[in-house]
Amino acid sequence: MPRTPSPATPRLPLAPPPRTRRRLRVCHECDWLVALPPLRPGERADCPRCGHTLVTRHAQPAQRSLALAMAALVALALALGFPFISFEISGVGNRIELYDTAASLVHFHQPLVAIAVMLTIAVLPALYLCSVIWLQIGLLRRHPLPLSRGIARSLVHMHPWMMADVFIVGALVSLIKIASLAAISLGVAFWAFCAFALLLLLTTLSLDRDWLWFSLTGEPLAPAGSRTGATAAEQGLSGCPTCGLVNRLDEQGNGRCRRCGEHLHARLPNSLQRTWALIIAASFMYLPANLYPIMVTTHLGEAHPSTIIGGVVQLWQMGSYPVALVIFIASVLVPVGKLLALGWLCFALRHRAGRFRMTRTRLYRLTELIGRWSMVDVFVVAILVALIRAGALMSITPGPAALAFAAVVVLTMLAAISFDPRLLWQAPRPPEKEASHA
């Protein structure tokens, strides 16, 4: 049911009437078909079955998103054009720019990790912001610019992979690690990137996809015979995960969105098999990620390899308890917890007891939310490798575990994306049908 962020504002009734074919939406987590009520700025509509947020309204959405996106791009330009961090030890120092975090990894034969770092902290966010600006300018002119539909579709796919906020946490952890060994100076780019990360977050929160697609192309009526208060799959319908439009599927449960062109399925094809495959692959990669050193520190000519757990222990011994706890949670508990949670959800699909559906859905939301924060350790390595380059006096090189751990993060995120939470709300098959299906 619809809600507002402020508890003082009363909830709106679930309107329009059940038989309407206008403003219908399908919950992407439980497949429930509902009719959206009229929403004012600052209000949102939640699924009455599972509580998933369907739509959030904002005042002046085009102007707000345009202003935030332009400000974020300016902050990113400053972050790329000025010194990021510098250090000095015994008269020897080094200064890096933001792009050096990826360039240094290429120098040490870690091109895949370098690509992942640069894509997640600069390239994808810049493309996302440029896309938002392109779309909102067209809407303010009341005449969408060319390629607007394809660009609007891409926003949904880019969003999970932007990690500027995670990079900030990695930078802070890096500074605490070397603060006792060298004098650290923060450049203009560091503060500019902090502002960029905040503005990027505000930009993503300011986007109203429902209003955006309605303004771009309008909204066709839902298929005839659509009934609210029931699942879409039992009616041969599917809600587009990109633009939200309700569409009719063919006899095989497939289709294409009439508004944005996205491929549609009653359930994601081979969702369970893909998720299991990605979980198993991530589990195998997690072993070398923890057994091999993630970075090697050379101090006064002596090399000290450090594993993920070793780094946590070192921070704890230094007295940096909060930072050690952050690294332990992000690099140990989150990956392991996510693998166990996704594996348990896949296994639990055989027992879709109604009283546990909401609990399992909340667990899925949690795994989807926290998975990206495991990249903290990869960003720490990228920053320290670029910054600490003082020869035999003190230098840091990436270890073989850096690539393995980055692969774990990517694979677990793909596993969460591949898992179809609508399966958690399906009624279990009768025993005879289950046997024939097997």
Side-chain angles (χ1 to χ4, degrees):
M1 64 180 61
R3 301 176 182 172
T4 64
S6 173
T9 306
R11 297 179 179 180
L12 299 174
L14 276 177
R19 294 184 181 180
T20 183
R21 293 171 57 197
R22 291 184 178 274
R23 312 293 291 150
L24 298 187
R25 291 292 177 269
V26 177
C27 178
H28 301 304
E29 292 193 353
C30 70
D31 204 39
W32 201 245
L33 184 62
V34 298
L36 290 181
L39 295 174
R40 293 174 295 185
E43 294 179 337
R44 73 184 189 193
D46 293 350
C47 174
R49 192 186 192 196
C50 70
H52 175 64
T53 299
L54 303 174
V55 175
T56 302
R57 282 285 179 270
H58 299 290
Q60 303 292 331
Q63 294 88 336
R64 176 187 302 218
S65 297
L66 179 61
L68 288 170
M70 293 180 68
L73 269 183
V74 171
L76 179 59
L78 293 174
L80 291 171
F82 286 89
F84 189 65
I85 302 176
S86 60
F87 91 106
E88 184 176 351
I89 178 173
S90 302
V92 179
N94 187 28
R95 186 181 69 180
I96 63 170
E97 280 74 33
L98 186 63
Y99 52 81
D100 288 328
T101 55
S104 60
L105 290 171
V106 175
H107 176 74
F108 287 107
H109 310 293
Q110 295 276 5
L112 295 179
V113 183
I115 291 172
V117 169
M118 208 60 198
L119 280 176
T120 54
I121 69 172
V123 176
L124 288 179
L127 288 175
Y128 185 91
L129 295 171
C130 290
S131 300
V132 171
I133 293 173
W134 183 268
L135 292 171
Q136 305 299 4
I137 288 177
L139 295 180
L140 289 174
R141 293 173 62 242
R142 300 187 181 278
H143 183 69
L145 297 175
L147 306 176
S148 288
R149 274 201 279 188
I151 291 173
R153 283 181 58 187
S154 68
L155 294 180
V156 179
H157 303 292
M158 285 191 286
H159 181 262
W161 304 99
M162 300 187 299
M163 304 183 187
D165 49 351
V166 183
F167 185 81
I168 291 296
V169 176
L172 295 176
V173 172
S174 304
L175 297 178
I176 294 173
K177 275 193 170 188
I178 61 175
S180 60
L181 303 176
I184 304 297
S185 299
L186 303 178
V188 174
F190 179 85
W191 303 110
F193 194 84
C194 290
F196 161 70
L198 177 61
L199 290 168
L200 178 64
L201 177 62
L202 294 176
T203 302
T204 58
L205 294 176
S206 71
L207 278 181
D208 182 348
R209 281 194 295 161
D210 183 73
W211 173 87
L212 174 66
W213 280 102
F214 183 81
S215 302
L216 281 175
T217 61
E219 180 164 346
L221 292 176
S226 303
R227 294 179 291 104
T228 59
T231 62
E234 69 186 45
Q235 306 177 59
L237 305 175
S238 178
C240 178
T242 299
C243 71
L245 186 68
V246 179
N247 295 267
R248 177 77 63 186
L249 300 177
D250 59 22
E251 295 179 356
Q252 288 73 38
N254 301 316
R256 186 181 286 270
C257 180
R258 296 169 289 157
R259 184 158 63 171
C260 70
E262 190 75 52
H263 288 282
L264 302 177
H265 309 279
R267 296 293 180 265
L268 292 178
N270 303 316
S271 170
L272 197 59
Q273 295 89 331
R274 291 183 183 182
T275 305
W276 271 122
L278 290 165
I279 290 173
I280 293 171
S283 301
F284 277 113
M285 296 302 296
Y286 191 69
L287 294 176
N290 283 271
L291 295 177
Y292 288 98
I294 195 167
M295 62 183 177
V296 180
T297 304
T298 301
H299 185 55
L300 298 177
E302 187 175 354
H304 303 278
S306 174
T307 61
I308 293 175
I309 296 296
V312 172
V313 172
Q314 183 183 12
L315 286 169
W316 190 270
Q317 292 173 345
M318 291 168 55
S320 302
Y321 305 121
V323 180
L325 190 61
V326 167
I327 293 295
F328 179 73
I329 292 174
S331 302
V332 179
L333 289 186
V334 168
V336 173
K338 193 169 183 179
L339 291 172
L340 293 176
L342 286 173
W344 182 75
L345 288 176
C346 291
F347 181 78
L349 288 179
R350 289 181 173 272
H351 310 282
R352 303 185 184 102
R355 62 184 182 277
F356 295 126
R357 287 171 178 170
M358 197 64 241
T359 301
R360 292 166 181 170
T361 300
R362 291 194 184 105
L363 180 60
Y364 169 75
R365 292 173 188 168
L366 181 62
T367 60
E368 201 175 29
L369 176 68
I370 64 176
R372 57 201 290 273
W373 288 94
S374 298
M375 280 292 285
V376 166
D377 238 350
V378 177
F379 291 146
V380 169
V381 173
I383 294 170
L384 293 180
V385 167
L387 182 62
I388 310 301
R389 301 178 67 178
L393 181 62
M394 188 177 182
S395 62
I396 293 179
T397 57
L403 177 59
F405 192 76
V408 170
V409 178
V410 173
L411 289 171
T412 53
M413 290 182 66
L414 290 174
I417 294 172
S418 299
F419 183 81
D420 193 339
R422 295 173 296 182
L423 296 173
L424 297 172
W425 293 83
Q426 279 187 183
R429 292 188 182 93
E432 62 274 8
K433 289 188 177 182
E434 185 71 29
S436 64
H437 176 75

